[in-house]
Amino acid sequence: MSSIIPYEHHRKTFDKIIDRSMDMVAQDGQNINANAKRAIGKHEFSALLSIFPVLKHLNACKAEFDEQLTGTAPSTRHKLPDLMRTLQQTGSNALDEFFEIVKNDPDKSNMPKDGTVHELTSNAVIFLENLQEFIDTTSSMLSTQKDAILSRGNEDTAKKKLVAAYIAKVLGALGLNLDQKAKTYNDQYLGAIFLLNNYHYLLKSLQRSGLIQLVMCSNPDVESHYEQIIKDQKVEYTKSWSRVITQIHEANRPYVLERDAGGKLKDRERQHIKDKFKGFNTELEDLFKVQKCYAVPDEQLRAMLREENKVTVINAYRTFMERYSGTNFTKNPEKYIKYQPEQVGGMIDRFFDVTA
């Protein structure tokens, strides 16, 4: 080039050569930015993720671009920084908007009828997991927000903490929203299953992706917090069995049954036993009809709940049967003793299965 164009004209000539290419880069970037803005308007935040790899690449190339464009016209040198600022601002706005959507999502009409994981939960997890690949890019977006606080110390650690604080804030907002959504169920135990499914999904997703380690930079107790919520919702769900257990609970009754002079059970004792067996059968069948329509999509959680249900019911029912099945309380035992303990277990294995 120096043998053809005098040195003093090199930069001016170079400027003209690259002008069209720089315009194309800037236009492509503006198109990406426009598409991202439309996605934000439609609350399609997965489409917004296209900004992150672009901005990450531009940041990586910026130093080399600055060196190559030294001496070119300001309008040329500023195209790349201007584009980066535009994308960064769009990303920052999107992160803020995403938080507001998660916090205030008002749609109660699309609540899952079976208590499964809500779409808001799965979408939030997908979006947040993607941020993990773009810590530097995300932190630069967040740093432009008015309430951003960049911690002192190692720069990489400070960036991680900023992103971790944002993710923790979103997860907190999601939890509050889920709690409100659960209250829309007429069946309080379906509400418990809903929260159990969602928090279990959240915890397992964070652990599987490794995102839990990032969040712990901001909230060290996040894992134990979710574990406690899951435990509490299991306890709440277990209360749905209280009407079944009440029928066979005998703690306050004397062990010796009242009999007449001939050794037969008195009428009131026989009727009491009949009512207990009948009540147990009815409550178990009613609960089965309701809870077979509950959804527990995680196989491990579903198996755990079934086993815990068995522990809750079967031992108590077996003790009840051993006490009364041989007392000749009826001439038609098959009418009242409809289920053996193993059959109760088989029925519990069909809970959370709408096809049962």
Side-chain angles (χ1 to χ4, degrees):
M1 179 172 168
S2 58
S3 62
I4 301 174
I5 302 171
Y7 178 79
E8 63 270 21
H9 297 299
H10 280 186
R11 285 299 170 184
K12 185 176 181 180
T13 303
F14 180 61
D15 205 342
K16 290 182 178 180
I17 292 172
I18 67 170
D19 184 60
R20 182 172 174 79
S21 297
M22 291 298 295
D23 283 343
M24 291 175 65
V25 170
Q27 186 58 53
D28 286 345
Q30 292 297 339
N31 290 340
I32 292 172
N33 188 64
N35 290 334
K37 284 186 173 181
R38 282 194 292 271
I40 296 170
K42 297 177 181 178
H43 298 163
E44 296 173 352
F45 289 95
S46 59
L48 168 71
L49 293 170
S50 61
I51 284 183
F52 287 81
V54 173
L55 195 51
K56 180 179 180 180
H57 178 70
L58 292 177
N59 275 316
C61 297
K62 186 177 183 301
E64 185 176 353
F65 264 86
D66 290 344
E67 181 181 353
Q68 294 299 324
L69 297 179
T70 301
T72 57
S75 59
T76 301
R77 294 198 307 273
H78 293 163
K79 284 177 182 178
L80 186 64
D82 287 349
L83 173 60
M84 292 174 65
R85 278 191 293 271
T86 298
L87 292 173
Q88 185 167 292
Q89 188 58 54
T90 298
S92 176
N93 293 342
L95 291 172
D96 193 48
E97 180 70 12
F98 180 72
F99 168 74
E100 291 299 325
I101 290 297
V102 171
K103 177 182 177 182
N104 300 313
D105 175 42
D107 190 0
K108 307 291 194 301
S109 61
N110 67 340
M111 288 293 292
K113 295 180 180 180
D114 56 7
T116 193
V117 177
H118 197 281
E119 184 180 14
L120 180 66
T121 303
S122 56
N123 287 344
V125 166
I126 292 170
F127 183 79
L128 294 176
E129 285 180 347
N130 276 278
L131 298 186
Q132 194 173 203
E133 298 181 35
F134 304 102
I135 298 295
D136 289 352
T137 305
T138 305
S139 65
S140 68
M141 293 176 179
L142 292 170
S143 64
T144 66
Q145 297 180 352
K146 61 182 180 181
D147 60 345
I149 300 176
L150 195 63
S151 60
R152 297 179 180 179
N154 180 274
E155 184 179 359
D156 289 340
T157 300
K159 289 177 179 179
K160 282 186 176 181
K161 286 185 176 180
L162 187 59
V163 177
Y166 171 78
I167 295 174
K169 184 173 73 168
V170 172
L171 292 174
L174 177 61
L176 292 174
N177 198 324
L178 291 172
D179 290 345
Q180 291 302 312
K181 289 183 185 301
K183 293 176 183 178
T184 64
Y185 287 109
N186 294 325
D187 178 353
Q188 71 181 93
Y189 304 117
L190 182 56
I193 286 291
F194 171 77
L195 290 176
L196 182 56
N197 278 326
N198 280 269
Y199 279 109
H200 185 271
Y201 174 82
L202 270 174
L203 178 59
K204 293 305 177 185
S205 297
L206 294 175
Q207 291 172 333
R208 183 189 65 252
S209 66
L211 193 60
I212 193 78
Q213 301 300 324
L214 177 60
V215 180
M216 288 174 71
C217 294
S218 175
N219 181 3
D221 299 325
V222 61
E223 194 166 25
S224 60
H225 172 66
Y226 281 146
E227 288 172 347
Q228 185 60 50
I229 292 176
I230 290 169
K231 182 179 179 181
D232 291 344
Q233 293 309 316
K234 282 183 180 179
V235 170
E236 184 63 25
Y237 161 72
T238 301
K239 294 177 183 177
S240 66
W241 285 88
S242 61
R243 291 171 65 94
V244 177
I245 297 299
T246 298
Q247 301 300 321
I248 54 178
H249 186 63
E250 294 283 288
N252 298 322
R253 282 185 58 79
Y255 187 76
V256 179
L257 300 174
E258 295 184 17
R259 300 176 183 273
D260 60 21
K264 294 182 179 180
L265 288 176
K266 289 187 176 182
D267 289 346
R268 66 180 181 182
E269 289 284 13
R270 289 201 301 272
Q271 190 59 50
H272 171 77
I273 298 170
K274 290 177 182 178
D275 290 344
K276 284 288 188 177
F277 273 107
K278 184 178 179 181
F280 175 82
N281 297 334
T282 300
E283 294 296 343
L284 178 63
E285 290 164 0
D286 288 348
L287 194 65
F288 173 69
K289 288 177 184 177
V290 172
Q291 295 199 8
K292 72 176 184 178
C293 297
Y294 288 4
V296 182
D298 183 85
E299 183 177 352
Q300 184 179 11
L301 178 61
R302 186 169 63 247
M304 185 185 305
L305 288 177
R306 287 171 173 168
E307 288 305 310
E308 289 176 359
N309 288 344
K310 290 177 185 178
V311 171
T312 300
V313 178
I314 292 179
N315 288 340
Y317 182 59
R318 181 177 284 110
T319 299
F320 181 80
M321 278 195 63
E322 289 173 352
R323 181 175 185 182
Y324 294 118
S325 60
T327 59
N328 298 319
F329 67 91
T330 177
K331 294 179 180 179
N332 303 298
E334 68 281 353
K335 178 180 177 181
Y336 298 97
I337 307 177
K338 293 177 64 175
Y339 303 103
Q340 295 297 316
E342 294 74 18
Q343 291 174 301
V344 174
M347 183 179 291
I348 291 174
D349 281 334
R350 291 184 289 148
F351 273 51
F352 318 125
D353 182 0
V354 72
T355 63

